[in-house]
Amino acid sequence: MEPTTNTKDRIVWHLACSVEDIPEDGGGCALIEGKQIAIFNFARRGEWYATDNECPHRQQMAIGRGMIGSQGEEPKVACPFHKKTFSLKNGQCLNDDDYKINTFPILIKENQVYIGL
Amino acid sequence: MKANTNTHIIVIGNGMVGYKFCEKLLARKKNDQEFTLTVFGEEPRVAYDRVHLSEYFAGKTADDLTMASVDWYAENGIRLFLSDPVVDIDREEKLVRSHHGHVVHYDYLVMVTGSGAFVPSIPGVEKDGVFVYRTIEDLELIQAYAKKAKRGAVLGGGLLGLEAAKALLDLGLEEAHVVEFASRLMPRQIDDAGSKILQSQLESLGLNIHLAKSTQEIVGGDFIKGMQFADNSFLDVDMLVISAGIRPRDELAKIAGLDTHPRGGIVVDNGLRTSDPYIFAIGECALAHHMIYGLIAPGYEMADVVAGALTGTEKEFLPYDMSTKLKLIGTDVASFGDPFVEEPACKTIRYENKAKGIYKRINVSPDGKELLGGILVGDAEQYNMLLQTCKNKTILPPDSEDLILGSRGGEDAGAGVMSLPDDALICSCEAVTKGMLCHEIGENGHATIDALKKCCKAGTGCGGCIPMVKDIIQGVMKQNGQYVRNVVCEHFDHSRQELLDLVKMNGLRTYGEVLNEFGHGDGCEVCKPVVASLLASLWNENVLTKDRAPIQDSNDRYLANIQKGGTYSVVPRIPGGEITPDKLIVIGQVAKKYGLYTKITGGQRIDLFGAHVNDLPLIWEELIDAGFESGHAYGKALRTVKSCVGSTWCRFGVQDSVSFAIEVEERYKGIRAPHKFKSAVSGCIRECAEAQSKDFGIIATEKGWNLYVCGNGGSKPQHAQLIASDVDKETCIKLIDRFLMFYIKTADPLTRTATWLNKMEGGISYLKAVVVDDLLGLAAEFENEMQSLINNYKCEWKEVVDNPELRKHYNHFVNVPDKDPTVAFEELRTQKRAREWA
Ligand SMILES: Cc1cc2nc3c(=O)[nH]c(=O)nc-3n(C[C@H](O)[C@H](O)[C@H](O)COP(=O)(O)OP(=O)(O)OC[C@H]3O[C@@H](n4cnc5c(N)ncnc54)[C@H](O)[C@@H]3O)c2cc1C
Ligand code: SF4
Ligand code: SF4
Ligand code: FES
């Protein structure tokens, strides 16, 4: 994957890890371009998600260690510190309107996980 | 019949109905009546619950299935001879003779010899690998044989046969077949359309169904190799369970010259007397109203009729309802009333959904007012309601199809039961009416299934009424405004306790299985740790293996406590707070090497703070080498057992509190519970270890130990309360086993023992009755369960250190070996501390 010039509307895919590095129905954290990205393997739904690893509540680097699950149909992750939960789809905090995390495009190809920044 | 002098009654057969007869006779006995009861049983064990026999494969023990212990018979003055069948009856002299040569006189004889499996005379049935399915011994043989078998078949596609076939699958056979002579399954209960749906459901469970097959020969040498059918087809199997019907045990009656039916059964009249007025026959051996009642409920009713006759209340045994609901098969099947009536004697309403595997049929009287019977396959949720409607001849609504199509479950599920008349029979095995249940729940506060089983025996027979009894509990509570539905979260419609029972009964060991079986959606941060905790409380397997790592709460996930800043703390176990100088030195060295802040905790151990997640396995490796174990400071588990120095040094001490504290801590270390729990042991009444502020606390006395439970420090301090005084160590441990298991099994998630007690109906006196006086009869079970948890204990950290797969997860990043660069500390009194929240 050749990194190309980063224009605003262009996704650059970065190799993060291989599929086995992220436990099924769990998460992990990868260091990409100096940024901590939380990656989730939502095996139960056959979906993958990527978000900030930092929780906006108390700036803890912990989202990747959080438990994932669903609220209604919405896939979500809970910060292990104070259990703020965030939508994995759009990053909105589901139990406190004041917070939001960034989400990133994610791609699985030939058993490798790529994150778009 | 009045019996003023001592009447001698002999019961032949100690099966379910034989036992029930004894129980009913004792209950009906009047003050001026005296009986001498003698029971002869052919089986080596006391009467057990045959209806739930298959649960033996799911892990229930023979003890669990026992109806009443041998002690019960002794306490009630019943002479019990086991493994000793009656071989002859001298009706003239009124004597029976047993196999072991006991000759006993009777005034009245009750024959409850039950039935045996009917084994058709097919050539080859005597081969090894051919079984019947009737007693615990049969199941033991099947279980042992199944270990080396691959393909099994059941001869007979009736109620029992299907149950047996499912059991073969559960025993791990690669193939399980059902071979039925008739052209449909369960020919006595369901019709062709129902059978078709049932067949497809069973096939999707993995059973192979062969209908209209007549077996000609069982092929093989000494061992069965296969089955040869009349249509020339052949089935390759290496074991076979015969379930082709039952054969009443009337051989003794024949010897005694009593009237028996040519097709089997001891003929009785409406009072259940045989052709000899001093001999009764009840249960599955009796032929009443020209039929054998092969179900438990009519058997119990027969027991009641005869117990009544012998105590002076004549009543008749009336033709009995044969409605049934199949249990254990993984798909619902039920039939009730008259399932087969056809037009014009009725109007039949059918509903069929092949995609979902559902078939329902109800037969309504021609005027549309009464429900005559019906069949439910695939979804029998309405069974109890329909059965009641049918039995009570309730007038039907104008659109009777609503009965099977109408809104299912939902809001007014409870309202349905509550609209039944008070005399509606809910538990037909024990003849408990709705009115009786409402009274027990509302007036006497018996608002759980267990309590109701205890006080009025509802649900102790076939168990089919339990869902309805639950609805009635809810209904009554709701009426009294006490209704609180304690479900875990949006993904599980069960309370923690219900879920624990379900998970246990079904032997589930992973979160995925539990969610698939009993939940919906994808789980969340509430139910995941709850399930994690109950899996740990049930099986005590490593919390990070199988699919269990990602469902653990923040701390359990890494077996360490997450602290401000994202680092972790490390707490090795120091049982009783006793530690050698060498071990203290190791802790110091490790702390220095990994730059950790050290502090003595409130529980008399040492906490090491500020460890990077990457360093955790390295730190633990060193600690484990020095002989430390996990302290489970991260888990909802036993924390510490604090101790004072006690009689080994203290001049006031009366017992060795440190040794006892160490013993207790070693015993319960690693046991997972709904919340953390703590303990302490003091060496005398001065209570320096503060045992009365603990979940369970022990204080030495001159004569032994006092045990206190449900104390709490924390935000709402509460003193622990005394439940036993001056007991010895062994007793004390037993009581703690029971107490903890009762807590583990019944508390809501994240509920400390103090809160649990505060919410408990009956409070401390109830708790004491359960733990000390064994009110629920569960003490032995609690002790066994605790022992098996203890036997399964392994130090989790040692397992992680030794397992590269598990160690792999102790990296902050999945793609680089770096530690989290954002972690920062501040200086504090020559040590360090976490940086303040931004
Ligand atoms: C696997 C299985 C599942 C079942 N499931 C259900 C169900 O879901 N619902 C339902 O209603 N029913 C069910 N049944 C049927 C139910 O178990 C019987 O109806 C019930 O056990 C009959 O009780 P009983 O006391 O008449 O006979 P049994 O329980 O058979 O007891 C008779 C006892 O008498 C002994 N005996 C025989 N001859 C002598 C002698 N000469 N001297 C001394 N002792 C003697 C026998 O060894 C036996 O122990 C099931 C049965 C089985 C095997
Ligand atoms: S509780 Fe009693 S034995 Fe223990 S330290 Fe205090 S005074 Fe001594
Ligand atoms: S009392 Fe509060 S601050 Fe102290 S350890 Fe417990 S939770 Fe932390
Ligand atoms: S730091 Fe994430 S919820 Fe508080």
Side-chain angles (χ1 to χ4, degrees):
Chain A
M1 210 84 353
E2 288 289 305
T4 39
T5 32
N6 196 357
T7 59
K8 256 224 140 88
D9 48 356
R10 190 110 180 242
I11 293 175
V12 185
W13 293 103
H14 299 266
L15 174 62
C17 57
S18 59
V19 164
E20 296 77 50
D21 291 331
I22 310 292
E24 289 194 1
D25 292 312
C29 166
L31 188 64
I32 297 171
E33 303 277 284
K35 223 175 144 55
Q36 298 200 15
I37 307 290
I39 301 174
F40 302 97
N41 174 0
F42 212 141
R44 197 181 159 78
R45 297 164 65 118
E47 294 164 3
W48 286 77
Y49 294 98
T51 70
D52 283 333
N53 192 40
E54 186 180 69
C55 175
H57 174 230
R58 289 283 185 253
Q59 285 72 44
Q60 302 292 308
M61 286 296 183
I63 297 288
R65 298 181 205 169
M67 270 180 274
I68 57 174
S70 64
Q71 176 170 325
E73 282 304 303
E74 196 73 10
K76 64 170 182 174
V77 56
C79 172
F81 273 85
H82 310 96
K83 299 279 158 66
K84 301 254 181 244
T85 56
F86 300 90
S87 159
L88 286 171
K89 286 214 161 121
N90 58 26
Q92 182 57 51
C93 180
L94 301 170
N95 43 15
D96 193 333
D97 285 344
D98 291 348
Y99 300 108
K100 189 170 175 155
I101 53 178
N102 292 308
T103 57
F104 305 97
I106 186 165
L107 178 80
I108 309 297
K109 216 166 128 187
E110 282 153 10
N111 218 37
Q112 301 296 316
V113 181
Y114 298 88
I115 307 295
L117 291 184
Chain B
M1 197 170 312
K2 254 238 145 111
N4 277 327
T5 52
N6 190 328
T7 312
H8 201 150
I9 298 171
I10 295 183
V11 180
I12 305 181
N14 186 224
M16 295 184 76
V17 177
Y19 159 74
K20 187 56 62 173
F21 168 76
C22 297
E23 187 194 292
K24 299 236 176 196
L25 186 76
L26 294 173
R28 280 179 169 271
K29 186 174 95 77
K30 309 210 171 71
N31 283 336
D32 61 344
Q33 293 175 331
E34 256 193 81
F35 295 106
T36 306
L37 255 178
T38 308
V39 176
F40 285 95
E42 173 192 60
E43 291 186 66
R45 356 180 156 252
V46 272
Y48 52 86
D49 184 351
R50 211 179 297 285
V51 170
H52 294 102
L53 193 60
S54 295
E55 290 175 22
Y56 185 76
F57 288 146
K60 285 231 169 151
T61 63
D63 272 352
D64 293 337
L65 293 175
T66 297
M67 312 279 305
S69 67
V70 177
D71 294 347
W72 179 87
Y73 294 85
E75 279 157 22
N76 288 293
I78 301 173
R79 278 208 295 172
L80 177 66
F81 297 97
L82 294 176
S83 300
D84 195 10
V86 170
V87 291
D88 197 10
I89 305 172
D90 181 338
R91 288 163 49 201
E92 219 120 277
E93 297 297 324
K94 292 187 152 183
L95 294 173
V96 304
R97 185 158 55 80
S98 78
H99 175 70
H100 287 166
H102 295 286
V103 175
V104 186
H105 166 80
Y106 65 82
D107 297 307
Y108 292 99
L109 192 59
V110 183
M111 302 195 65
V112 212
T113 48
S115 63
F118 166 69
V119 180
S121 51
I122 302 169
V125 284
E126 73 294 340
K127 291 191 196 312
D128 278 355
V130 180
F131 303 92
V132 297
Y133 200 85
R134 178 87 199 167
T135 64
I136 290 188
E137 282 69 27
D138 293 336
L139 268 68
E140 281 171 344
L141 293 173
I142 291 173
Q143 196 167 30
Y145 202 88
K147 292 208 175 92
K148 45 185 195 203
K150 288 211 170 73
R151 285 176 299 274
V154 173
L155 187 65
L159 197 80
L160 279 184
L162 296 180
E163 197 176 313
K166 177 74 176 359
L168 289 185
L169 271 190
D170 293 344
L171 281 174
L173 291 198
E174 282 167 19
E175 280 175 27
H177 300 263
V178 174
V179 177
E180 166 61 47
F181 179 77
S183 57
R184 62 170 190 261
L185 291 166
M186 298 181 67
R188 279 146 57 106
Q189 284 90 11
I190 63 178
D191 57 11
D192 281 329
S195 167
K196 288 220 173 71
I197 295 275
L198 176 60
Q199 176 170 359
S200 64
Q201 289 294 96
L202 294 176
E203 282 167 349
S204 69
L205 282 177
L207 289 174
N208 302 292
I209 313 279
H210 312 269
L211 297 174
K213 287 270 177 201
S214 145
T215 310
Q216 252 180 352
E217 191 184 343
I218 293 165
V219 186
D222 287 346
F223 302 94
I224 171 174
K225 289 233 174 69
M227 300 165 77
Q228 176 65 52
F229 303 115
D231 62 3
N232 264 333
S233 55
F234 185 83
L235 182 64
D236 213 3
V237 288
D238 42 23
M239 75 184 285
L240 172 67
V241 176
I242 296 193
S243 176
I246 56 173
R247 164 99 203 132
R249 301 276 307 264
D250 57 7
E251 66 276 7
L252 179 63
K254 278 190 187 140
I255 292 173
L258 298 173
D259 279 358
T260 55
H261 193 272
R263 282 207 307 276
I266 309 171
V267 178
V268 293
D269 63 15
N270 291 357
L272 304 173
R273 281 186 182 77
T274 65
S275 50
D276 179 332
Y278 297 101
I279 303 181
F280 296 87
I282 58 177
E284 274 189 351
C285 64
L287 187 95
H289 306 293
H290 310 289
M291 66 182 286
I292 298 289
Y293 287 88
L295 291 176
I296 195 59
Y300 280 6
E301 172 63 15
M302 288 182 181
D304 196 52
V305 168
V306 175
L310 291 171
T311 50
T313 330
E314 287 290 339
K315 74 171 185 182
E316 284 198 349
F317 177 76
L318 303 171
Y320 206 88
D321 180 69
M322 291 294 275
S323 309
T324 34
K325 186 167 162 197
L326 184 58
K327 45 188 196 310
L328 277 175
I329 191 78
T331 180
D332 287 348
V333 186
S335 75
F336 56 93
D338 186 343
F340 300 123
V341 257
E342 290 291 342
E343 324 218 351
C346 75
K347 289 194 287 183
T348 300
I349 301 169
R350 287 193 170 86
Y351 164 77
E352 191 172 326
N353 183 335
K354 285 214 171 101
K356 287 197 171 152
I358 295 175
Y359 171 76
K360 300 179 183 184
R361 159 181 177 166
I362 52 174
N363 309 318
V364 180
S365 62
D367 61 4
K369 291 228 166 85
E370 234 181 74
L371 182 60
L372 302 175
I375 297 169
L376 302 170
V377 177
D379 170 15
E381 189 167 321
Q382 297 122 330
Y383 169 72
N384 279 317
M385 233 9 246
L386 291 173
L387 175 63
Q388 292 304 326
T389 311
C390 176
K391 275 195 190 169
N392 293 303
K393 305 205 184 318
T394 314
I395 303 287
L396 297 182
D399 303 316
S400 39
E401 63 270 20
D402 283 358
L403 288 175
I404 48 173
L405 304 176
S407 66
R408 309 195 314 118
E411 272 300 285
D412 39 82
V417 219
M418 294 318 279
S419 65
L420 289 172
D422 265 358
D423 57 1
L425 200 56
I426 303 294
C427 171
S428 42
C429 295
E430 292 289 345
V432 183
T433 62
K434 180 194 151 207
M436 290 157 75
L437 285 170
C438 291
H439 178 78
E440 289 298 339
I441 300 164
E443 310 295 316
N444 299 339
H446 295 131
T448 62
I449 296 284
D450 278 342
L452 288 170
K453 278 185 174 175
K454 195 89 197 164
C455 68
C456 63
K457 296 203 164 274
T460 56
C462 68
C465 62
I466 287 188
M468 199 152 204
V469 175
K470 275 196 181 142
D471 285 349
I472 293 183
I473 296 179
Q474 288 198 0
V476 176
M477 308 267 275
K478 215 178 202 166
Q479 280 175 355
N480 296 354
Q482 307 169 314
Y483 175 83
V484 216
R485 185 92 177 101
N486 254 336
V487 300
V488 172
C489 68
E490 67 171 80
H491 303 104
F492 288 94
D493 298 327
H494 301 282
S495 67
R496 176 183 179 279
Q497 184 179 352
E498 288 161 359
L499 203 54
L500 182 134
D501 290 338
L502 289 169
V503 170
K504 179 172 182 209
M505 264 176 343
N506 291 278
L508 306 184
R509 283 165 192 259
T510 64
Y511 177 76
E513 288 170 357
V514 179
L515 186 58
N516 288 342
E517 288 281 321
F518 301 113
H520 33 80
D522 303 311
C524 68
E525 72 284 357
V526 176
C527 58
K528 285 184 171 182
V530 167
V531 172
S533 149
L534 52 91
L535 289 174
S537 290
L538 283 171
W539 320 117
N540 208 4
E541 295 181 326
N542 188 294
V543 297
L544 299 184
T545 54
K546 309 221 175 128
D547 74 347
R548 290 181 297 244
I551 63 165
Q552 303 297 336
D553 216 340
S554 327
N555 293 340
D556 269 316
R557 175 73 180 84
Y558 290 94
L559 305 181
N561 295 42
I562 196 165
Q563 306 290 357
K564 219 187 232 180
T567 62
Y568 287 87
S569 67
V570 170
V571 190
R573 185 167 296 291
I574 302 178
E578 182 186 84
I579 185 164
T580 60
D582 281 338
K583 280 188 156 178
L584 273 177
I585 290 169
V586 171
I587 290 188
Q589 284 167 339
V590 168
K592 252 183 150 165
K593 178 163 168 190
Y594 295 94
L596 307 175
Y597 165 87
T598 52
K599 180 178 184 310
I600 311 274
T601 70
Q604 300 184 336
R605 48 189 189 176
I606 299 168
D607 207 337
L608 313 172
F609 290 85
H612 280 274
V613 67
N614 306 46
D615 288 339
L616 287 171
L618 302 168
I619 293 172
W620 273 106
E621 195 158 17
E622 296 194 24
L623 290 172
I624 285 167
D625 278 346
F628 285 104
E629 287 188 315
S630 166
H632 297 96
Y634 45 80
K636 307 293 176 225
L638 174 72
R639 291 293 160 86
T640 65
V641 182
K642 243 170 110 169
S643 72
C644 76
V645 75
S647 62
T648 49
W649 292 94
C650 174
R651 63 202 164 101
F652 297 113
V654 293
Q655 306 269 3
D656 180 358
S657 44
V658 180
S659 299
F660 199 16
I662 294 175
E663 191 182 318
V664 171
E665 182 156 347
E666 292 285 356
R667 182 172 179 80
Y668 300 114
K669 65 185 176 190
I671 304 280
R672 293 293 209 284
H675 210 310
K676 64 182 173 189
F677 59 102
K678 305 178 176 180
S679 177
V681 184
S682 281
C684 84
I685 191 78
R686 287 171 186 76
E687 242 283 69
C688 297
E690 298 168 339
Q692 289 166 96
S693 66
K694 303 297 180 196
D695 296 274
F696 63 95
I698 304 166
I699 301 178
T701 68
E702 296 284 347
K703 292 184 220 137
W705 305 90
N706 284 353
L707 177 61
Y708 297 80
V709 295
C710 299
N712 200 356
S715 58
K716 262 205 224 130
Q718 181 168 321
H719 271 133
Q721 302 190 48
L722 182 68
I723 60 164
S725 338
D726 295 328
V727 292
D728 58 21
K729 269 191 186 182
E730 291 67 40
T731 315
C732 193
I733 295 269
K734 264 191 185 175
L735 296 178
I736 299 169
D737 281 1
R738 298 175 189 176
F739 164 71
L740 287 177
M741 242 18 251
F742 187 41
Y743 165 61
I744 287 172
K745 293 178 86 166
T746 61
D748 283 333
L750 301 182
T751 305
R752 290 288 296 269
T753 57
T755 322
W756 171 65
L757 174 65
N758 297 346
K759 282 201 231 162
M760 190 180 298
E761 258 175 70
I764 188 73
S765 40
Y766 178 71
L767 179 60
K768 194 172 161 188
V770 172
V771 173
V772 182
D773 310 323
D774 195 11
L775 174 71
L776 302 181
L778 292 172
E781 185 177 328
F782 287 157
E783 288 166 29
N784 290 339
E785 287 168 334
M786 179 56 83
Q787 194 56 50
S788 80
L789 290 182
I790 292 167
N791 296 345
N792 272 352
Y793 168 82
K794 292 202 190 77
C795 172
E796 291 160 342
W797 262 112
K798 182 160 184 348
E799 293 184 279
V800 171
V801 166
D802 295 343
N803 180 338
E805 259 312 294
L806 293 178
R807 264 183 103 134
K808 205 180 85 179
H809 294 297
Y810 287 86
N811 279 317
H812 183 73
F813 295 115
V814 291
N815 56 344
V816 286
D818 303 15
K819 296 177 182 175
D820 181 0
T822 65
V823 167
F825 301 105
E826 291 162 11
E827 266 258 330
L828 178 72
R829 291 186 290 277
T830 77
Q831 294 202 67
K832 65 183 184 190
R833 56 156 294 175
R835 190 175 52 186
E836 199 41 67
W837 300 123

